[in-house]
Amino acid sequence: STIFAERAVKIFKDHVLNHSNKSIFMYLPFQSVHKELQVPKEYYELYPNINDDNRRIFSAMVSAMDDAVGMIVEELKSNDLLDNTIIVFMSDNGGFIYGSGNNYPLRGTKSTLWEGGTKSVSFIYSKMLENKGTKTDKLFHVVDWLPTLLTAVKNSLPSNEQDKVEKFFSEDWDGVDQWDMLTENKWNK
């Protein structure tokens, strides 16, 4: 996690120095809470109350990833980028219960079609969102992110880039724009 976060921080610093008037998109797929179960000792020691060693390591891995995300958020704040940023944090599947994940109360595990294998939690952070702290159990598919994020940023783009977004929307792509649902707590069908 730390290596990914340090690289992201460097990219943001370079961006501010060299391209401060341009937008930036970063896709950062942390691989930390995944096999192989390993974590620096200082995180492992945070969970002395967990007796199952694999679960203890897994929990420590989550804390290490949380700190890495915190490093990135602090860098965005320190460069006045956070107010104009959308952060999407998501998982690709439910937890692998045989690898110390936990999907309770859902049935199933990663690689199954039960809800425990297919559902995952996520969150989105942005100053553009007025309904902070809102929870939903509505369906949102991974292919919905592209049209949703394009809608979110479209009006802040130069006109030639806005034209590209409109062209994209005029073509036959998968995904549903869910920006209204996120900003106004509406559900697009």
Side-chain angles (χ1 to χ4, degrees):
S1 296
T2 304
I3 293 170
F4 281 51
E6 287 171 351
R7 179 68 177 132
V9 165
K10 182 180 182 333
I11 289 169
F12 288 129
K13 284 181 180 180
D14 291 347
H15 179 75
V16 168
L17 287 174
N18 301 311
H19 309 285
S20 62
N21 63 339
K22 292 188 176 184
S23 298
I24 184 172
F25 172 84
M26 179 178 288
Y27 172 71
L28 180 56
F30 283 104
Q31 303 296 311
S32 10
V33 186
H34 210 275
K35 288 196 318 190
E36 297 297 319
L37 296 179
Q38 55 187 349
V39 71
K41 185 178 180 182
E42 63 267 21
Y43 288 100
Y44 180 82
E45 291 174 351
L46 292 173
Y47 296 95
N49 57 318
I50 299 176
N51 294 326
D52 179 280
D53 198 51
N54 284 340
R55 183 67 185 162
R56 183 176 178 180
I57 294 169
F58 188 88
S59 298
M61 290 168 73
V62 172
S63 291
M65 182 177 59
D66 187 50
D67 283 353
V69 171
M71 286 173 56
I72 294 166
V73 170
E74 284 304 313
E75 183 63 26
L76 291 168
K77 272 187 203 175
S78 70
N79 287 295
D80 294 323
L81 296 172
L82 192 60
D83 287 352
N84 195 25
T85 296
I86 300 172
I87 297 173
V88 176
F89 187 92
M90 59 188 253
S91 176
D92 57 348
N93 48 252
F96 185 54
I97 60 175
Y98 305 109
S100 297
N102 185 340
N103 299 318
Y104 182 81
L106 303 176
R107 179 180 180 185
T109 184
K110 175 181 177 175
S111 301
T112 70
L113 294 178
W114 299 109
E115 287 183 320
T118 59
K119 281 189 173 183
S120 64
V121 296
S122 61
F123 72 83
I124 182 170
Y125 167 87
S126 175
K127 295 281 184 168
M128 292 187 275
L129 299 174
E130 294 179 14
N131 56 341
K132 293 171 179 54
T134 301
K135 295 179 183 179
T136 183
D137 61 356
K138 305 294 186 209
L139 292 177
F140 195 114
H141 194 273
V142 68
V143 298
D144 295 341
W145 281 116
L146 180 59
T148 300
L149 293 174
L150 284 174
T151 295
V153 302
K154 181 177 78 172
N155 292 334
S156 65
L157 298 172
S159 60
N160 65 323
E161 297 295 322
Q162 288 181 22
D163 294 342
K164 290 177 185 177
V165 172
E166 288 303 323
K167 182 177 183 316
F168 170 83
F169 284 133
S170 72
E171 297 173 359
D172 190 23
W173 291 91
D174 287 337
V176 175
D177 173 9
Q178 302 291 2
W179 190 245
D180 281 347
M181 185 273 296
L182 293 171
T183 58
E184 300 171 19
N185 211 17
K186 293 179 182 173
W187 183 246
N188 293 331
K189 295 185 180 195

